[in-house]
RNA sequence: GACCCCAUCGUCUAGUCAGGUCAGGACGCCAGGUUUUCAUCCUGGAAACACGGGUUCGAAUCCCGUUGGGGUCGCCA
């Protein structure tokens, strides 16, 4: 490692640009780096959010700093406790912990709480009052509908919409009277005109021209602060020094700067990460699954809920409102009915699909950041040690699932066999209990073990084992070239007949004993070529040319089922040319 | 549309800040080889500095323009 980099790691403060030092740190002599992740608990934690959390966490941890988790639940309609808990679980699963925040497992607590914005309303109120008293903010009484109409008007005229400040013309008496009457009111920040320069540690500084920002709302009619207001107050009070967030927030930063100035707050350092995009270049969003489902439902002319899991009225509402998200189990069923694959978007999707958390972290960090020196595989400890804002990429990155899968495969194959087995079993019990309960522990162990070399995910041993659960008489034999080759050209049926007898007599019937008898047979009858006999057997017992090693495959099925399947395969003349009598070309 | 950001193989990227190696790696793809199937594994290959102007002895690298891509334009966050 270059000396300079080591030096940087040990003394990060020396390398900060002087101009970016915060002006009002609590104690300038011991500046503790503090980052935060502040999710809104609606829906699941998606990979973009997970990456932001991971990098924010690594940034603080690598500099002796603290990482804060704050729950931004100021949207009463969309926030839910279930979603919040899911996010905490997903973060912990990724190996991200937080020094301050909601208490969960061994994380959380802290002196700057509460860490739920919905519990900080009185704090926001103080600052709101302050701005009102100082004349820096004002009440406005337009309804959401009125504003929508004005926006639509402006749009039709091809003009950008800005709030017209009609409320500023109201006399103090009128405002007081309206408020006394209990008219719904929002509070808007009085925005001084003037251009705003956003400083950023990742992308270039940007100048937002004067007049771009209007008097935006800082407190909603329900009394809850808007995101902009809560975030600014909390970052100040919680001592956040560095804000890493997605580039979709870039312009919001100007609003936040305005608020910081109005409130007399210091300014954290900002770094805006590029967004992660889909193969079609659209922003990867937590709404993508619902988007795909809605599109498919419309295409199929589906107007009623096809499942009891989704009530009719809920379905109709969901179909109309693109902001609504189905629960995962509802989405899965609907996708099944519509015959589409749900895109993997959320951390939970990848967990369910059998990706390793350490691989996901590695890959997420690599999406938009690189340690250089052709290093690609690393763990979170390395990330903490090396992560640095000036190596972050500015351009949006596509999420390359093929590469993620390859990383996962590599990690699985490097894993000690016993670890792999344990993780597959845990995965099966959590996500496929109906599968797991069909087998004894011993069988499950073997299923995992014999699939290790060929698994790309923890889910593969399960998804590749359906032939074990199929009834003997329900095995479907496809008609394919490799099957015909093995059964007809390779004289498979003759080998089947021969081996059948050996297997019937075999005792005990284990992978080891099967291996002995099959290799012996191959030596004697097929010139040592095991494939000539293994493929017909594989086809006979699974219906396909692909399965775990043949000895394990047979051992897992057990003697009886193996014999029954061989018999049926032979009597169906699988892979042999059709009888001449078989009829009729169309 | 307006405002802002961005631009190296199909994809993720190294190289750009301090201009000077046939532009490096990985995933994917193609061709061989190993293997009881698949998956691995091994060998080889095709594959990029968006375009146009400058500056310079010299530009992927610096400047300008064009084009293209992304983000934002909510009483969502």
């Amino acid at each position: 490692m270059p000396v300079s980099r080591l030096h940087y790691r040990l003394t990060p403060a020396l390398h900060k640009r002087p101009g970016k030092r915060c002006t009002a740190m609590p104690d300038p002599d011991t500046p503790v780096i503090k980052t935060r992740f502040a999710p809104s608990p609606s829906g699941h934690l998606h990979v973009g959010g997970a990456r932001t959390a991971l990098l924010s966490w690594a940034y603080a941890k690598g500099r002796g700093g603290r990482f804060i988790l704050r729950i931004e639940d100021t949207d009463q309609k969309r926030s839910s406790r279930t979603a919040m808990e899911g996010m905490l679980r997903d973060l912990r699963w990724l190996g991200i912990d937080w020094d301050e925040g909601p208490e969960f497992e061994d994380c959380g607590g802290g002196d700057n709480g509460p860490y739920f914005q919905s519990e900080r309303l009185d704090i926001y109120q103080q600052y709101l009052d302050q701005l009102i008293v100082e004349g820096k903010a004002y009440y406005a009484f337009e309804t959401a509908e009125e504003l929508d109409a004005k926006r639509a008007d402006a749009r039709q005229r091809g003009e950008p919409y800005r709030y017209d400040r009609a409320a500023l013309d109201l006399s103090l008496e009128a405002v007081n009277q309206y408020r006394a009457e209990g008219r719904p009111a929002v509070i808007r920040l009085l925005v001084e005109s003037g251009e705003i320069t956003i400083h950023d540690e990742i992308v270039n500084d940007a100048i937002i021209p004067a007049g771009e920002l209007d008097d935006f709302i800082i407190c909603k009619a329900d009394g809850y602060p808007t995101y902009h207001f809560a975030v600014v107050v909390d970052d100040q009070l919680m001592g956040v020094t560095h804000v890493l967030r997605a580039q979709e927030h870039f312009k919001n930063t100007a609003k936040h700067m305005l608020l910081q100035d109005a409130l007399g707050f210091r300014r954290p350092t900002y770094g805006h990460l590029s967004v992660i995009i889909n193969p079609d270049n659209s922003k990867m969003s937590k709404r993508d699954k619902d988007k795909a489902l809605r599109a498919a439902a419309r295409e199929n002319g589906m107007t009623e809920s096809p499942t009891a899991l989704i009530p009719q009225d809920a379905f109709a509402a969901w179909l109309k409102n693109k902001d609504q998200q189905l629960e995962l189990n509802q989405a899965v069923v609907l996708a099944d009915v519509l015959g589409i694959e749900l895109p993997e978007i959320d951390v939970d999707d990848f967990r369910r699909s059998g990706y390793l958390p350490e691989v996901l972290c590695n890959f997420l960090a690599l999406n938009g950041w690189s340690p250089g020196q052709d290093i690609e595989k690393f763990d979170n400890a390395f990330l903490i040690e090396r992560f640095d804002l000036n190596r972050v990429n500015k351009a949006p990155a596509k999420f390359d699932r093929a590469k993620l899968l390859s990383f996962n495969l590599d990690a699985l194959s490097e894993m000690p066999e016993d670890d792999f087995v344990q993780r597959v079993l845990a995965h099966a019990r959590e996500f496929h209990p109906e599968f797991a309960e069909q087998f004894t522990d011993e069988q499950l162990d073997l299923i995992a073990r014999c699939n290790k070399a060929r698994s790309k995910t923890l889910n593969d041993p399960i998804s590749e084992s359906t032939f074990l659960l199929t009834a003997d008489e329900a095995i479907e034999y496809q008609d394919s070239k490799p099957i015909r080759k093995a059964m007809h050209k390779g004289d498979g049926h003759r080998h089947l007949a021969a081996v059948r007898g050996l297997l019937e007599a075999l005792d005990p019937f284990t992978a080891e004993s099967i291996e002995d008898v099959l290799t012996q047979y191959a030596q004697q009858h097929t010139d040592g070529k095991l494939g000539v006999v293994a493929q017909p057997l594989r086809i006979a017992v699974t219906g396909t040319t692909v399965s775990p090693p043949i000895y394990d495959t047979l051992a897992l099925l057990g003697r009886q089922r193996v014999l029954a399947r061989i018999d049926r395969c032979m009597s169906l003349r699988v892979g042999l040319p059709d009888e001449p009598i078989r009829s009729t070309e169309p």
Side-chain angles (χ1 to χ4, degrees):
Chain A
M1 167 178 298
V3 175
S4 59
R5 200 168 284 281
L6 191 64
H7 177 68
Y8 177 74
R9 259 170 54 221
L10 296 173
T11 56
L14 293 180
H15 285 251
K16 296 315 297 178
R17 295 189 217 165
K20 308 254 163 150
R21 287 283 3 115
C22 304
T23 47
M25 291 294 294
D27 181 355
D29 292 323
T30 56
V32 177
I33 300 245
K34 271 191 171 189
T35 61
R36 45 75 166 175
F37 179 59
S40 164
S42 62
H44 299 257
L45 178 66
H46 71 121
V47 291
R51 186 188 59 169
T52 302
L54 178 69
L55 298 182
S56 300
W57 172 80
Y59 188 84
K61 292 288 161 185
R63 289 162 180 73
R66 289 166 75 75
F67 177 63
I68 303 173
L69 180 64
R70 183 174 69 224
I71 304 298
E72 308 221 321
D73 54 352
T74 52
D75 185 336
Q76 295 189 77
K77 289 184 289 292
R78 282 193 272 263
S79 299
S80 88
R81 188 181 174 81
T82 317
M84 186 272 294
E85 283 168 351
M87 286 185 169
L88 302 189
R89 181 202 60 204
D90 290 344
L91 287 169
R92 291 299 293 125
W93 180 71
L94 289 169
I96 297 172
D97 56 7
W98 47 97
D99 304 297
E100 297 178 34
E103 291 183 30
F104 184 77
E105 296 179 359
D106 51 345
C107 295
D111 299 332
N112 299 298
Y115 294 93
F116 290 84
Q117 290 186 328
S118 60
E119 295 172 17
R120 300 171 64 81
L121 265 24
D122 50 340
I123 299 173
Y124 305 128
Q125 195 57 54
Q126 284 175 30
Y127 289 101
L128 249 9
D129 290 345
Q130 179 190 323
L131 290 182
I132 292 275
V133 168
E134 292 173 353
K136 292 174 177 170
Y138 59 92
Y139 290 100
F141 299 90
E142 291 87 351
T143 64
E145 292 70 29
E146 286 165 351
L147 293 174
D148 284 347
K150 286 187 181 178
R151 258 191 287 270
D153 266 10
R155 196 192 174 85
Q156 233 171 19
R157 289 195 306 270
E159 292 166 12
Y161 172 77
R162 307 270 187 278
Y163 178 61
D164 59 12
R165 290 189 158 170
L168 275 186
D169 296 336
L170 261 29
S171 65
L172 186 60
E173 293 73 38
V175 170
N176 286 339
Q177 189 191 331
Y178 287 167
R179 297 205 64 226
E181 288 168 3
R183 275 216 214 183
V186 300
I187 299 176
R188 289 178 181 271
L189 185 74
L190 187 65
V191 173
E192 308 288 347
S193 79
E195 64 177 35
I196 303 164
T197 302
I198 302 176
H199 295 290
D200 190 284
E201 293 291 311
I202 294 172
V203 295
N204 285 323
D205 295 352
I207 299 168
I208 307 294
E212 270 295 302
L213 264 33
D214 68 355
D215 291 352
F216 57 93
I217 293 174
I218 57 178
C219 181
K220 308 181 223 177
D222 66 2
Y224 277 61
T226 60
Y227 161 71
H228 305 296
F229 193 77
V231 94
V232 162
V233 169
D234 289 349
D235 283 347
Q236 167 77 12
L237 264 31
M238 294 179 183
V240 171
T241 62
H242 291 70
V243 174
L244 263 42
R245 45 155 67 145
Q247 230 161 65
E248 64 205 43
H249 284 295
F250 191 81
K251 246 183 175 164
N252 290 336
T253 304
K255 295 184 180 178
H256 300 173
M257 289 166 65
L258 254 15
L259 275 168
Q260 284 151 359
D261 292 348
L263 290 162
F265 290 169
R266 76 195 148 76
R267 184 113 63 228
T269 301
Y270 288 98
H272 289 92
L273 278 342
S274 64
V275 295
I276 301 178
I277 56 181
N278 289 313
D280 71 354
N281 282 343
S282 60
K283 182 177 80 167
M284 200 172 186
S285 147
K286 57 186 176 183
R287 308 200 213 288
D288 282 353
K289 275 187 287 190
D290 293 79
K291 204 166 133 191
L293 286 171
R294 239 178 244 115
R298 292 221 175 96
E299 202 169 300
N300 290 7
M302 181 185 282
T303 52
E304 299 196 346
S305 171
T307 163
L309 272 177
I310 314 171
Q312 286 307 340
D313 49 342
F315 184 81
W318 169 80
L319 212 49
K320 264 196 300 207
N321 185 348
K322 65 180 166 58
D323 283 340
Q324 278 198 19
Q325 293 178 64
L326 292 176
E327 291 296 318
L328 186 59
N329 58 346
Q330 297 174 324
V332 167
V333 172
L334 188 54
D336 208 38
V337 174
L338 289 164
I340 64 167
E341 288 274 340
L342 243 29
E344 286 154 331
I345 297 292
D346 300 319
V347 169
D348 193 42
D349 295 335
F350 289 95
R351 188 153 70 104
R352 213 169 268 275
S353 297
Y355 290 90
L356 265 20
E358 53 270 41
V359 171
L360 230 204
C361 284
N362 183 177
F363 191 72
L364 248 18
L366 217 47
N367 232 265
W369 179 76
S370 153
Q373 300 161 318
D374 291 338
I375 299 171
E376 284 205 309
K377 302 280 180 71
F378 50 81
D379 59 13
N380 282 350
F382 179 92
L383 181 65
I384 285 174
E385 186 180 306
R386 296 287 280 274
F387 179 67
D388 188 347
L389 259 25
N390 59 30
R391 292 192 64 90
V392 173
N393 271 299
K394 304 171 186 192
K398 272 179 203 163
F399 196 80
D400 183 355
R401 279 158 223 275
K403 186 160 178 169
L404 171 64
L405 196 59
S406 162
F407 273 33
N408 207 54
L409 165 73
D410 290 346
L412 290 180
S413 55
E414 279 165 25
M415 190 181 283
E417 191 173 87
D418 288 337
D419 293 358
F420 175 79
V421 170
Q422 284 317 305
R423 291 177 85 150
V424 169
L425 294 198
H427 182 82
R429 290 188 177 116
E430 179 166 9
F431 296 109
H432 302 281
E434 74 293 339
F435 176 90
E437 68 201 16
Q438 302 284 331
F439 300 96
T440 64
D441 287 358
E442 212 173 18
Q443 285 174 314
L444 282 175
D445 190 278
L446 181 55
I447 288 172
R449 221 169 275 280
C450 73
N451 275 291
K452 175 167 188 287
R454 45 204 298 286
S455 289
K456 295 191 172 185
T457 69
L458 295 176
N459 205 55
D460 280 358
I462 298 148
S463 60
E464 296 299 304
S465 294
T466 49
F467 72 91
L468 291 173
L469 296 174
T470 310
D472 296 338
E473 62 279 7
I475 296 288
E476 283 181 41
Y477 297 100
Q478 306 292 327
D479 182 38
S480 74
K481 213 169 167 186
I483 289 183
R484 284 196 299 273
K485 187 179 166 202
M487 300 308 261
H488 180 51
K489 215 171 146 196
D491 218 357
H493 280 268
R494 188 166 61 81
H495 296 305
L496 274 185
V499 166
R500 188 202 185 283
L502 298 173
L503 292 173
E504 187 169 25
L506 192 62
D507 186 58
F509 195 82
T510 64
E512 291 72 28
S513 66
I514 295 168
E515 177 168 2
D516 285 345
V517 73
L518 286 188
T519 47
Q520 212 171 38
Y521 178 86
Q523 236 127 55
Q524 289 165 357
H525 302 281
T526 66
D527 222 6
K529 287 181 185 158
L530 194 55
V532 177
V533 58
Q535 278 307 80
L537 272 170
R538 180 170 279 122
I539 292 161
V541 300
T542 70
T544 71
T545 53
V546 178
S547 86
I550 191 65
Y551 323 119
D552 298 313
T553 302
L554 298 184
L556 278 168
L557 277 167
R559 187 202 318 273
Q560 278 205 321
R561 289 205 283 166
V562 167
L563 297 180
R565 289 177 189 204
I566 291 176
D567 291 342
R568 182 160 169 269
C569 175
M570 292 200 297
S571 71
L572 287 171
R573 300 175 45 82
V574 169
L576 295 179
D578 292 333
E579 307 289 338
I581 359 160
R582 181 183 172 265
S583 55
T584 66
E585 293 294 315

